[in-house]
Amino acid sequence: MKFILDEAKSHIERITNELIKNIGSDLSFIREIGEHILLGNGKLLRPLLFVLSCKLLGYEEERIYSLSTVFEYIHVASLLHDDVLDNAEMRRNRPSVNTVWGDHAAILQGDFLYARSLIIALSTKNLRFLEKIADATNRMVEGQIMELICSNNVDLTREQYFSIIEKKTSSLLSAACECAAVLAGTDIEKEIALHNFGHNLGMAFQLIDDMLDYISSEDVFGKPVGKDLREGKVTLPLIYAIQEIGEEDRGRIIKLLKEKGNNKEYEYILKKVTQTKAISRTKYDALNFVNKAKRSLDLFDSSPIKDILIELSNYVVQRER
Ligand code: FPP
Ligand code: MG
């Protein structure tokens, strides 16, 4: 993430300091697990979006760095739970918390970080700020439940898939951007613009995540690839591939999702997906979302911070991890 190193290094450093400081527990167990996951190779996209959105609005108070941890804590809490649900072994280039400390510790650490995020958010004494966070978390859980219900469903539509990722991923990114406007007490047009920015960026982010699951490698991605298919998760690359392949391969996918199969069969389908237009179509959709995100910023005057947000948007579709 070269641009971040160049342009946003100081913000990232300050956010990282607060992430460790704000854990706020004397229990060494909580601190140890917290540092393992919080100091992993995370992108810190959500707290960074909050900080940059505040600055875009001219809200420069020192506490924005501390408040930004709300968005990373909620995100990490959701990842800790998600890794238990997905039986994930790696996260952020490190063994996942459930792998090292077990499922119980991972779930409880997630609960702890979520509770911490609410305590920190409460310090704003701003009910709308809290409302946005509660609503985003609510939607994240709905997204995960929809994903669970739709697993192994070969008939999942593009629209249903978009609805899942809007809830499970975009809701927190849009809240991070929108909460900056709430805190700064800006007018509703700017609040909506920042909401739209975060929403579209979040959609692009998840599309690229699901695309990289088909084409990246574990070393680069920081987590195993080809996992979505193995977990029965039907994502956009698979939806597009199914539209293009013949009856025989479609039958093989249905069988694989229903009965699970051997490694060779998974490898066959994973390769098949990459041989279709599925990957380029997914990337094209992601680019469209990013362009929409960037257009949402038209309302704001040119500034170095706006340039960073635009660069960050470009990074979301160009990223390899
Ligand atoms: C990762 O997606 C997971 C999410 C985007 C959201 C997970 C949300 C929850 C578990 C519910 C909310 C819970 C709390 C405690 C706030 P992915 O599995 O597609 O990505 P991955 O490949 O990185 O695992
Ligand atoms: Mg997962």
Side-chain angles (χ1 to χ4, degrees):
M1 202 167 173
K2 189 175 177 306
F3 121 82
I4 291 294
L5 294 176
D6 297 341
E7 306 281 341
K9 202 173 172 208
S10 69
H11 301 303
I12 296 272
E13 272 169 16
R14 294 169 85 169
I15 291 167
T16 307
N17 286 341
E18 294 294 332
L19 283 172
I20 297 308
K21 212 168 85 191
N22 267 349
I23 290 182
S25 171
D26 294 336
L27 284 179
S28 58
F29 195 66
I30 287 180
R31 299 199 71 84
E32 193 187 347
I33 302 181
E35 285 177 19
H36 175 89
I37 182 74
L38 292 163
L39 299 180
N41 204 6
K43 291 176 267 298
L44 304 183
L45 185 58
R46 293 148 188 88
L48 189 59
L49 281 174
F50 173 75
V51 163
L52 294 175
S53 299
C54 285
K55 287 183 173 285
L56 184 75
L57 298 167
Y59 189 85
E60 300 273 353
E61 291 196 23
E62 188 55 33
R63 67 173 179 160
I64 62 175
Y65 293 99
S66 174
L67 287 175
S68 77
T69 62
V70 167
F71 304 97
E72 189 62 10
Y73 284 171
I74 296 176
H75 174 54
V76 167
S78 80
L79 292 181
L80 292 174
H81 288 187
D82 180 65
D83 284 347
V84 172
L85 295 171
D86 289 352
N87 297 310
E89 285 163 12
M90 293 292 288
R91 172 67 67 186
R92 297 182 160 178
N93 289 91
R94 291 180 172 186
S96 60
V97 171
N98 46 308
T99 302
V100 182
W101 288 276
D103 286 354
H104 292 193
I107 291 167
L108 291 169
Q109 181 80 15
D111 294 341
F112 177 83
L113 287 176
Y114 181 53
R116 262 323 279 164
S117 76
L118 292 182
I119 292 171
I120 297 159
L122 210 55
S123 72
T124 62
K125 297 191 170 55
N126 185 325
L127 260 189
R128 285 197 71 226
F129 190 98
L130 280 153
E131 195 181 85
K132 301 266 175 223
I133 287 165
D135 182 58
T137 321
N138 209 320
R139 292 163 75 78
M140 288 167 77
V141 181
E142 280 181 346
Q144 284 292 107
I145 291 174
M146 279 167 71
E147 187 175 270
L148 182 72
I149 294 167
C150 296
S151 57
N152 300 318
N153 179 3
V154 78
D155 295 319
L156 190 78
T157 65
R158 183 175 178 263
E159 285 62 40
Q160 287 169 319
Y161 164 82
F162 280 162
S163 169
I164 292 172
I165 68 168
E166 190 279 319
K167 284 173 187 283
K168 80 166 188 178
T169 303
S170 290
S171 55
L172 189 56
L173 277 92
S174 56
C177 299
E178 211 177 345
C179 277
V182 169
L183 195 69
T186 173
D187 56 62
I188 194 73
E189 282 78 21
K190 286 184 177 149
E191 193 178 307
I192 292 170
L194 281 170
H195 169 93
N196 290 338
F197 174 69
H199 162 78
N200 287 303
L201 200 61
M203 296 297 283
F205 184 88
Q206 190 62 46
L207 286 179
I208 296 297
D209 211 66
D210 293 342
M211 182 193 85
L212 291 173
D213 184 73
Y214 278 89
I215 60 167
S216 190
S217 66
E218 178 165 346
D219 277 356
V220 180
F221 203 24
K223 52 191 180 187
V225 292
K227 237 187 151 272
D228 288 343
L229 182 68
R230 290 177 207 271
E231 292 287 331
K233 222 183 260 181
V234 179
T235 59
L236 196 58
L238 190 64
I239 292 171
Y240 279 149
I242 287 169
Q243 291 172 0
E244 207 182 304
I245 57 177
E247 267 311 303
E248 196 197 319
D249 282 329
R250 192 172 187 277
R252 281 174 81 160
I253 293 176
I254 294 173
K255 193 162 181 280
L256 193 59
L257 289 175
K258 215 155 119 196
E259 298 167 15
K260 305 293 166 196
N262 57 32
N263 195 39
K264 230 176 111 199
E265 191 62 10
Y266 280 111
E267 291 298 334
Y268 174 81
I269 300 297
L270 287 168
K271 190 160 173 225
K272 192 88 219 167
V273 172
T274 64
Q275 287 167 343
T276 65
K277 293 197 190 75
I279 301 302
S280 55
R281 288 180 73 189
T282 303
K283 182 126 191 201
Y284 180 81
D285 285 343
L287 268 170
N288 274 338
F289 278 116
V290 157
N291 287 336
K292 266 196 217 165
K294 289 195 275 192
R295 280 201 300 274
S296 314
L297 297 180
D298 285 350
L299 191 72
F300 302 95
D301 294 338
S302 299
S303 69
I305 293 289
K306 183 171 165 179
D307 290 344
I308 300 181
L309 284 169
I310 289 171
E311 268 309 304
L312 190 58
S313 311
N314 294 334
Y315 157 76
V316 161
V317 270
Q318 285 158 10
R319 73 197 174 102
E320 290 176 353
R321 70 167 194 95

